[in-house]
């Protein structure tokens, strides 16, 4: 019967929440059959969605957004039993926001009619006020408690809740006034009920109760006026009107002092009102202000206000907890804050360590601390080293519990067991997940060995541990051997010290000289003559081998350097030979044309004068004038300087260069309104038309200058000039947009001669804890398919599939989540997932640093290689060039050249020459330029 009654109550409440049409009788139109059918379809869809969300949560219980969606749907459908269960599960995993708690409390209040049900609502309120400090929840709690005033001790219970609310949020500058006023209204209501009937004389008991109630209201006014709150002047005026007696001088002084404090707080409150969520910077400034003032209650409140809007910021929690640990030191307050911190940011190992230390500091039971440590291990840290840190913190705690004056104890055995478990855990669990243990130097085993040697006097166990450490790849490091040697020196014997150093001399590869020196020092102090001779012989042999290996390595490096030099010289010689052959070929063609065109007179002479402007980089003697360079770099727009119409050339080969567009020089003063577009398809037809349609969405386009080769083919890049700078900045958003199957690169127009280090890369190259890097994806995987997989683990903000320059997928992707918590959970659930028979790898995005070339090698290569600014692939000119003829560039080189072209001095010898270069006349200079 009780179950049936509960079901009936639930059904009734379901109708109330939903607004059940049956409760409305016949008021609805029976003709709305279509809308009724639509409602049924929607209900079926909602039921299917509820089932899907429940299944998803059974797979991943830490999916925060999935919890929210499920609660929203269940409340919409009126499934209050399931709704209560869903809210309960979510509250066990996460602190709930103010909105979620208020919705939950209001739904439960509607159903609470009996005393036992009211008690459950009280319990729910107690849980709600512990998650965050929220004035609205406290106000709702106090007002709800007034409904139970008729019960035994009801008035005192209401007053107790109001007092707790004032302690928690009564100092809130903008929202505290509402609580003070509600409290006064409650006391005024009691005062009204205590008034005697008109015309009657109050009894002494009634008179005493009236006086005490009046004093209680006076006290509330005075307390409120001593706190800096908004609308203080209104409260003061209300007190003057209400009080029959003059306001005491002490109250006036405290009121003026509070007003002054309010003026100091106003700029920070106004900054919070004007800022956008999450207002972290504004809250931090407010916290700094309150920290200087030094009022613990106000500092705690501003921290709580900041955390209510920045609950996923680990650093803020860490600073708050540190303040509580060092200043307030109230057990319930401190432990509550630590618990909320790890529930909000479970992926942050530092918060867990702070929590364990706080629990130990306040004498929490060992079983509770151990359980909390197990929760930390299951929190899903994002780095292998995090597990090393949490294990070390727990082992430190266990070590402090041991009484080492006893030979054996339960605590000591627990400590040893924990050390062994830690080593095994890092080897199995952590290494399997991260492909590394996170403890390459075996710091946990080192600490274990120190405890065994120093505190337990068990050198045998310490030696076993160190032997294990050395077998894990640490035997080649001198510092590891010296650490072991120092332990033996302090707690072992000379024999084992000598044995350790002999092994160190044999195995160390990074600093063998240091180990050899320590061995000789030991034998000098404590060794016999035989020991000294053995040590000298061993160290000499070892250092001889080391020097021999280093000499071989240096010789190998020198051989590689010589090989590189020879290759560079060969490339230089090969380019010179090609240049000479092209020059000879061109001279033969020129002689033939001259013979054919002897009768053309002055026209042929004009063509001969213009001929230098037609040479390509690499033709003739290598002379490259500024006009040719501008043509190569695309500074003339689509075509180079127009060539005279030669009848013979037209017959031999029709010109494919585009002459209809006039030459346009690039104006560097317009770089701020120009963008550089590259990686376009070479086969693109009419690039101006295509790109103008594309870039017009960003603003008015002034000019588009595609760059063409000498043969008239499009080179895949161009300059887009806008009317204003704002349009050029907006055009950068089109970077990586796919155009004709290729990602188009859009970057600012920067002169790399002036800014050689300028590079455009729009994505971060540092650790981003809210972003995942996924590898091993099938090439056929689309962005939509990947989003469907990822959104099950959190709110996906962006997905980027990595492609090559041709737009083909590389099987890599970056997925950005809303916060670190969702990203860390996604790593746990998605790493090793199979997608279309491909096993993917998922990790937090942390790109490795680019390895910069060694400066010495780069310098050595530059002595023999042709400068990159002059020669590119196959000796052709590059696009980024200095506008200086090569003939002039050769004059800056100290290599001297004889009249027949034979080099007289090598670069090395010529650089040592101190003679002044011979001054040239204008005729010499012209002859050199024209190579005559």
């Amino acid at each position: 019967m009780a179950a049936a009654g509960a079901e009936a109550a639930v059904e009734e409440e379901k109708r109330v929440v939903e607004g059940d049409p049956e409760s409305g009788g016949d008021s609805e139109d029976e003709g709305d059959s279509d809308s009724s059918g639509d409602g049924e379809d929607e209900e079926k869809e909602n039921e299917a969605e509820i089932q899907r969300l429940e299944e998803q949560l059974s797979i991943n219980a830490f999916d925060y957004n999935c919890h929210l969606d499920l609660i929203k749907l269940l409340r919409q459908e009126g499934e209050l039993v399931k709704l209560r269960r869903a809210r309960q599960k979510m509250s066990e995993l996460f602190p709930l926001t103010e909105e979620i708690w208020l919705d939950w409390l209001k739904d439960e209040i509607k159903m609470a009619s009996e005393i036992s049900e009211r008690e459950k609502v009280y319990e729910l309120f107690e849980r709600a006020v512990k998650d965050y400090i929220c004035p609205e929840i406290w106000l709702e709690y106090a007002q709800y408690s007034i409904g139970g005033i008729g019960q035994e001790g009801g008035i005192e219970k209401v007053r107790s809740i109001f007092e707790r609310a004032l302690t928690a949020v009564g100092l809130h500058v903008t929202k505290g006034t509402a609580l003070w006023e509600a409290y006064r209204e409650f006391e005024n209501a009691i005062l009204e009920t205590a008034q005697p009937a008109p015309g009657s004389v109050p009894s002494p008991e009634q008179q005493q109760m009236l006086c005490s109630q009046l004093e209680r209201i006076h006290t509330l006014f005075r307390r409120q006026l001593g706190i800096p709150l908004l609308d203080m002047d209104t409260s003061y005026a209300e007190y003057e009107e209400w009080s029959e007696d003059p306001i005491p001088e002490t109250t006036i002084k405290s009121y003026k002092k509070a007003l002054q404090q309010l003026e100091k707080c106003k700029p920070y409150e106004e900054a919070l009102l004007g800022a956008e969520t999450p207002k972290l910077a504004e809250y931090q400034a407010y916290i700094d202000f309150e920290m200087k003032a030094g009022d613990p209650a106000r500092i705690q409140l501003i921290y709580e206000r900041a955390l209510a809007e920045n609950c996923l910021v680990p650093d803020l929690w860490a600073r708050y907890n540190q303040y509580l640990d060092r200043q307030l030191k109230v057990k319930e307050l401190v432990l509550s804050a630590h618990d909320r911190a790890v529930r909000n940011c479970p992926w942050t190992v530092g918060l867990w360590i702070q929590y364990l230390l706080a629990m130990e500091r306040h004498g929490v039971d060992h079983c509770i601390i151990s359980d909390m440590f197990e929760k930390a291990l299951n929190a899903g840290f994002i780095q292998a080293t995090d597990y090393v840190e949490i294990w070390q913190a727990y082992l430190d705690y266990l070590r402090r519990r041991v009484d080492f004056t006893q030979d054996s104890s339960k605590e000591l055995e627990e400590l040893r067991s924990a050390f062994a478990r830690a080593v095994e855990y890092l080897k199995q669990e952590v290494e399997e997940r991260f492909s590394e243990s996170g403890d390459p130097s075996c710091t946990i085993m080192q600490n274990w060995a120190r405890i065994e040697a120093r505190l337990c006097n068990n050198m045998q166990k310490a030696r076993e541990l160190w032997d294990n450490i050395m077998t894990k790849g640490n035997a080649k490091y001198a510092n590891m051997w010296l650490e072991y040697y120092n332990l033996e020196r302090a707690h072992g014997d000379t024999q084992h010290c000598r044995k350790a150093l002999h092994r160190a001399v044999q195995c160390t590869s990074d600093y063998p000289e240091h180990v050899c020196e320590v061995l000789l020092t030991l034998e000098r102090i404590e060794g016999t003559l035989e020991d000294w001779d053995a040590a000298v012989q061993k160290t000499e042999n070892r250092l001889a081998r080391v020097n021999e290996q280093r000499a071989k390595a240096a010789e190998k490096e020198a051989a590689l350097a010589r090989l590189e030099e020879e290759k560079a010289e060969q490339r230089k010689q090969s380019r010179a030979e090609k240049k000479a052959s092209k020059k000879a070929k061109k001279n033969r063609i020129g002689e033939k044309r001259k013979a054919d065109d002897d009768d053309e007179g002055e026209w042929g002479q004009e063509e001969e004068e213009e001929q230098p402007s037609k040479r390509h980089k690499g033709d003739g003697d290598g002379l490259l004038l500024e006009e040719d360079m501008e043509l190569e770099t695309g500074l003339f727009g689509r075509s180079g300087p127009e060539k005279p119409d030669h009848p013979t050339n037209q017959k031999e080969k029709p010109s494919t260069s585009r002459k209809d567009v006039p030459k346009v020089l690039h104006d560097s003063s317009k770089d701020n309104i120009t963008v550089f577009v590259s990686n376009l398809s070479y086969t693109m037809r009419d690039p101006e038309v295509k790109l103008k349609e594309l870039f017009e969405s960003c603003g008015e386009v002034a000019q588009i200058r595609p760059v063409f080769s000498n043969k008239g083919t499009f080179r895949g890049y161009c300059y887009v000039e806008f009317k204003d700078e704002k349009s050029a900045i907006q055009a950068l958003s089109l970077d990586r947009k796919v155009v004709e199957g290729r990602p188009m690169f859009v970057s600012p127009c920067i002169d790399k001669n002036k800014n050689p280090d300028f590079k455009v890369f729009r994505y971060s190259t540092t650790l981003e804890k809210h972003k995942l890097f996924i590898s091993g994806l099938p090439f056929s995987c689309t962005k939509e398919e990947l989003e469907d997989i990822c959104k099950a683990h959190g709110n996906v903000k962006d997905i980027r599939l990595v492609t090559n320059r041709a737009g083909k997928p590389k099987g890599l992707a970056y997925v950005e989540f809303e916060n670190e918590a969702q990203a860390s959970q996604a790593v746990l659930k998605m790493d090793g997932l199979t997608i279309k028979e491909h096993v993917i790898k998922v990790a937090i995005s942390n790109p490795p640093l680019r390895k910069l070339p060694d400066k010495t090698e780069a310098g050595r290569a530059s002595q023999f290689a042709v400068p990159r600014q002059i020669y590119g692939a196959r000796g052709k000119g590059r696009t980024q060039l200095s506008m200086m003829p090569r003939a002039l560039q050769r004059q800056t080189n100290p290599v001297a050249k004889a009249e027949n072209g034979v080099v007289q001095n090598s670069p090395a010898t010529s650089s040592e020459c101190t003679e002044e270069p011979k001054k040239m006349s204008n005729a010499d200079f012209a002859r050199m330029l024209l190579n005559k």
Side-chain angles (χ1 to χ4, degrees):
M1 293 292 293
E7 291 178 2
V10 168
E11 278 300 318
E12 181 63 27
E13 185 59 32
K14 178 178 177 180
R15 290 195 183 110
V16 172
V17 173
E18 283 186 290
D20 193 348
E22 293 181 4
S23 63
D26 297 327
S27 60
E28 293 192 7
D29 188 357
E30 295 181 358
D32 293 342
S33 58
D34 293 341
S35 61
S36 176
D38 294 341
E40 291 178 1
D41 293 340
E42 183 180 353
E43 185 176 352
K44 290 180 180 179
E45 290 178 2
N46 289 341
E47 289 177 358
E49 181 65 13
I50 289 172
Q51 185 176 359
R52 186 192 70 79
L53 292 171
E54 289 176 342
E55 292 175 356
Q56 182 63 38
L57 287 175
S58 65
I59 299 172
N60 179 18
F62 290 92
D63 191 332
Y64 189 88
N65 291 323
C66 194
H67 280 286
L68 292 180
D69 294 340
L70 179 60
I71 289 172
K72 181 179 179 181
L73 271 177
L74 290 173
R75 193 164 192 262
Q76 180 181 335
E77 292 295 310
E79 297 284 349
L80 294 185
V81 175
K82 290 184 178 180
L83 177 61
R84 181 182 293 165
R85 191 184 305 122
R87 285 166 167 165
Q88 181 66 29
K89 288 182 178 179
M90 185 177 183
S91 67
E92 291 171 358
L93 296 173
F94 305 100
L96 303 185
T97 63
E98 179 182 339
E99 293 77 11
I100 298 175
W101 272 120
L102 288 174
D103 288 341
W104 190 358
L105 289 165
K106 289 174 182 177
D107 290 344
E108 294 293 342
I109 288 172
K110 292 176 183 177
M111 298 178 61
S113 56
E114 299 180 1
I115 296 177
S116 59
E117 293 173 343
R118 289 186 63 87
E119 289 299 323
K120 291 181 179 179
V121 175
Y122 282 132
E123 293 174 3
L124 200 61
F125 268 115
E126 289 295 330
R127 290 174 55 192
V129 296
K130 289 178 181 178
D131 274 355
Y132 300 106
I133 290 184
C134 300
E136 288 81 0
I137 294 179
W138 275 111
L139 186 60
E140 190 75 24
Y141 189 10
Q143 290 175 343
Y144 178 73
S145 66
I146 295 175
I149 196 173
Q151 302 174 12
E152 184 179 354
I155 293 178
E156 293 305 319
K157 186 173 184 178
V158 174
R159 284 174 176 160
S160 172
I161 293 173
F162 266 119
E163 287 295 334
R164 289 173 57 200
L166 291 180
T167 302
V169 293
L171 299 178
H172 198 298
V173 176
T174 57
K175 298 181 180 180
T177 304
L179 268 169
W180 287 100
E181 291 178 351
Y183 196 0
R184 286 205 317 273
E185 287 176 6
F186 169 72
E187 295 295 350
N188 274 318
I190 294 177
L191 179 64
E192 290 295 328
T193 59
Q195 294 286 352
S200 62
V201 178
S203 65
E205 293 80 6
Q206 288 178 328
Q207 190 67 33
Q208 184 179 0
M209 189 178 70
L210 283 172
C211 290
S212 63
Q213 188 64 25
L214 284 170
E215 184 59 30
R216 185 174 282 112
I217 298 174
H218 273 290
T219 303
L220 281 176
F221 267 118
R222 293 165 188 168
R223 287 169 60 190
Q224 180 182 355
L225 293 175
I227 299 172
L229 300 171
L230 289 182
D231 299 327
M232 288 186 65
D233 49 352
T234 304
S235 300
Y236 185 82
E238 184 180 347
Y239 186 28
E240 282 184 317
E241 181 181 353
W242 180 86
S243 177
E244 297 177 356
D245 300 325
I247 298 177
E249 189 65 27
T250 54
T251 304
I252 295 175
K253 287 183 179 179
S254 61
Y255 167 69
K256 292 180 179 179
K257 185 178 179 181
L259 275 177
Q260 293 175 356
Q261 182 68 18
L262 179 62
E263 291 301 317
K264 295 178 182 178
C265 295
K266 271 187 177 180
Y268 299 98
E269 292 291 346
E270 290 171 357
L272 289 174
L273 289 174
E276 296 182 357
T277 306
K279 312 175 184 178
L280 185 58
E282 289 77 13
Y283 272 120
Q284 188 56 56
Y286 206 163
I287 290 171
D288 294 339
F289 164 73
E290 293 292 359
M291 291 288 282
K292 290 178 181 178
D295 186 343
R298 297 192 63 82
I299 294 171
Q300 180 196 355
L301 179 63
I302 191 59
Y303 262 120
E304 290 287 354
R305 288 176 61 185
L307 288 166
E309 296 191 56
N310 299 274
C311 59
L312 298 178
V313 180
D315 290 343
L316 187 60
W317 280 109
R319 291 195 295 271
Y320 180 41
N321 291 337
Q322 186 181 73
Y323 171 77
L324 295 178
D325 289 334
R326 295 179 179 179
Q327 302 297 327
L328 297 187
K329 302 180 181 179
V330 180
K331 179 179 178 179
E332 292 75 13
L333 182 62
V334 169
L335 295 183
S336 171
H338 280 288
D339 182 68
R340 290 185 290 138
V342 296
R343 290 175 66 200
N344 276 285
C345 307
W347 65 89
T348 308
V349 67
L351 297 178
W352 288 100
I353 294 174
Q354 280 187 330
Y355 196 6
L356 293 178
L357 289 172
M359 294 175 80
E360 180 185 3
R361 199 176 290 121
H362 291 281
V364 177
D365 188 71
H366 172 62
C367 296
I368 298 176
I369 295 179
S370 298
D371 291 342
M372 191 58 61
F373 168 71
E374 295 298 332
K375 288 182 180 179
L377 286 183
N378 296 321
F381 300 131
I382 59 178
Q383 294 179 357
T385 53
D386 292 345
Y387 288 94
V388 178
E389 292 180 27
I390 193 66
W391 266 111
Q392 192 59 65
Y394 183 60
L395 292 169
D396 292 344
Y397 157 71
L398 294 179
R399 196 267 308 161
R400 288 189 285 266
R401 296 182 69 244
V402 179
D403 182 6
F404 290 100
T405 59
Q406 302 179 10
D407 293 337
S408 179
S409 64
K410 179 182 177 182
E411 289 80 7
L412 179 58
E413 293 305 316
E414 184 178 4
L415 174 62
R416 284 173 172 160
S417 175
F419 266 116
R421 184 189 167 200
V423 173
E424 189 65 21
Y425 187 91
L426 294 176
K427 180 180 178 182
Q428 298 293 335
E429 302 288 337
V430 178
E431 196 163 343
E432 180 180 347
R433 178 181 167 192
F434 296 98
S435 300
E436 59 165 326
S437 67
D439 191 17
S441 299
C442 301
T443 55
I444 287 181
M445 293 182 69
Q446 287 189 48
N447 291 332
W448 188 4
R450 293 188 189 102
I451 290 173
E452 292 290 353
R454 297 176 185 176
L455 302 177
C456 301
N457 298 317
N458 189 354
M459 272 305 298
Q460 182 60 34
K461 179 64 176 178
R463 291 179 186 121
E464 291 177 5
L465 291 169
W466 267 104
D467 184 65
N468 195 358
I469 291 171
M470 291 304 183
T471 58
K472 294 183 179 294
N474 293 303
K476 58 185 177 180
Y477 301 116
N479 67 313
M480 299 297 287
W481 282 108
L482 295 179
E483 188 72 32
Y484 173 44
Y485 165 75
N486 291 331
L487 190 67
E488 280 285 359
R489 193 74 173 147
H491 307 285
D493 51 56
T494 305
Q495 181 182 354
H496 283 90
C497 287
R498 181 176 291 112
K499 184 179 179 181
L501 289 177
H502 275 272
R503 288 182 60 194
V505 169
Q506 197 171 6
C507 301
T508 302
S509 60
D510 55 351
Y511 298 106
E513 295 90 349
H514 190 31
V515 176
C516 292
E517 183 181 350
V518 175
L519 175 58
L520 292 176
T521 302
L522 173 68
E523 301 301 358
R524 180 176 285 113
I525 296 173
E526 299 187 17
T528 63
L529 179 59
E530 290 77 9
D531 295 333
W532 172 261
D533 290 340
V536 170
Q537 183 179 357
K538 194 174 190 72
T539 55
E540 286 180 351
N541 292 338
R542 175 58 178 159
L543 292 178
R545 289 197 302 271
V546 169
N547 291 331
E548 183 181 350
Q549 291 171 356
R550 289 174 178 171
K552 288 182 178 179
E555 185 179 345
K556 184 177 180 180
E557 184 178 355
L560 290 174
R562 286 194 300 270
L563 182 61
E564 288 296 327
E565 293 173 4
E566 291 174 1
K567 289 181 178 178
E569 190 64 32
Q570 289 174 1
R571 288 194 295 267
K572 185 176 180 180
Q573 185 176 357
S574 175
R575 282 194 292 268
E577 291 175 355
K578 289 181 179 179
K579 188 190 298 184
S581 64
K582 288 181 179 179
K583 181 178 179 181
K585 183 177 179 181
K586 185 171 182 179
N587 289 338
R588 289 196 298 271
I589 295 174
E591 291 174 359
K592 182 178 179 181
R593 287 179 178 175
K594 186 175 181 182
D596 293 339
D597 301 335
D598 282 341
D599 57 345
E600 294 179 1
E602 190 174 330
W603 183 89
Q605 184 178 356
E606 291 176 0
E607 183 188 26
E608 184 178 352
E609 291 174 357
E610 291 189 13
Q611 189 64 27
S613 66
K614 300 181 185 178
R615 294 173 183 165
H616 304 296
K617 298 191 260 180
D619 292 340
D621 60 355
L623 180 64
L624 182 65
L625 299 181
E626 289 184 20
E627 192 173 359
D628 297 308
M629 293 182 184
E630 291 174 344
L631 174 62
E632 186 64 21
T633 55
L635 300 180
F636 287 105
R638 295 197 303 175
S639 63
E642 293 186 4
K643 300 180 182 180
D645 296 331
H646 196 290
T648 308
N649 290 348
Q650 290 179 358
K651 291 179 181 178
E652 291 176 356
K653 183 179 179 180
S655 174
T656 56
S657 62
R658 304 172 65 167
K659 306 176 185 177
D660 53 336
V661 178
K663 297 182 290 187
V664 180
L665 289 172
H666 178 68
D667 187 357
S668 59
S669 64
K670 296 183 178 180
D671 283 350
N672 62 323
I673 59 172
T674 306
V675 295
F676 179 68
V677 183
S678 60
N679 201 44
L680 299 169
S681 174
Y682 290 172
T683 60
M684 180 182 288
R685 284 191 167 187
D686 295 325
E688 300 103 317
V689 178
K690 179 76 176 179
L691 295 176
K692 189 170 184 180
E693 294 175 356
L694 193 61
F695 283 96
E696 275 181 338
S697 60
C698 304
E700 186 177 355
V701 179
Q703 189 180 41
I704 295 180
R705 298 192 295 276
V707 180
F708 291 82
S709 67
N710 294 332
K711 297 182 180 179
T713 57
F714 181 46
R715 299 191 63 181
Y717 61 92
C718 68
Y719 297 89
V720 180
E721 181 182 322
F722 291 91
K723 290 288 187 180
D724 53 62
E725 186 174 356
K726 184 178 179 181
S727 302
I729 295 174
Q730 187 174 351
L732 297 176
S733 62
L734 296 179
D735 186 37
R736 311 282 170 165
K737 181 179 178 64
V738 178
V739 178
E740 295 190 2
R742 295 172 64 88
M744 174 181 67
F745 300 160
V746 183
S747 59
C749 190
I750 300 294
D751 185 357
K752 290 190 177 180
N753 287 330
K754 298 178 182 178
N755 300 276
D757 298 328
F758 176 81
K759 290 184 179 179
V760 176
F761 190 68
R762 61 186 291 188
Y763 305 107
S764 173
T765 57
T766 58
L767 174 65
E768 295 179 282
K769 294 185 178 181
H770 66 291
K771 185 179 290 185
L772 303 185
F773 173 68
I774 304 178
S775 60
L777 289 168
F779 292 163
S780 60
C781 182
T782 64
K783 183 177 179 180
E784 291 73 19
E785 292 172 343
L786 185 58
E787 184 176 5
D788 289 339
I789 297 171
C790 295
K791 69 181 182 182
H793 309 288
N795 185 18
V796 178
K797 295 181 66 177
D798 184 43
I799 292 180
R800 176 166 65 94
L801 294 177
V802 182
T803 62
N804 58 18
R805 294 179 69 87
K808 303 299 181 182
K810 299 174 71 173
L812 309 174
Y814 289 91
V815 181
E816 182 180 356
F817 283 90
E818 193 171 54
N819 53 54
E820 299 176 23
Q822 296 177 3
S824 61
Q825 291 302 320
V827 171
L828 289 174
K829 300 301 180 182
M830 292 178 60
D831 190 31
L833 188 67
T834 301
I835 300 178
K836 297 181 180 180
E837 301 181 354
H838 285 69
V839 179
I840 65 172
K841 292 184 178 180
V842 183
I844 297 296
S845 176
N846 188 16
L849 296 175
R850 287 181 175 269
K851 294 183 179 179
L852 298 175
D854 186 64
K855 292 183 178 180
T856 57
E857 293 180 4
R860 188 186 305 119
S862 65
Q863 296 176 11
F864 303 99
V866 178
R868 289 186 62 194
Q869 286 186 327
I870 300 177
Y871 293 100
R874 301 196 182 119
K876 295 290 183 71
R878 295 176 62 84
T879 58
Q880 301 296 330
L881 295 174
S882 173
M883 298 304 181
M884 181 182 291
R886 289 200 195 108
L888 291 181
Q889 289 179 344
R890 281 200 294 269
Q891 292 306 311
T892 62
N893 194 323
V895 179
K897 196 170 185 180
E899 291 183 3
N900 58 1
V902 178
V903 177
Q904 299 294 330
N905 296 318
S906 65
T909 58
S910 63
S911 63
E912 298 171 0
C913 181
T914 59
E915 287 186 61
E916 292 287 335
K918 183 180 178 181
K919 295 182 179 180
M920 295 185 295
S921 65
N922 290 339
D924 294 333
F925 188 82
R927 191 180 304 110
M928 179 196 68
L929 274 179
L930 299 175
N931 202 16
K932 291 184 179 180

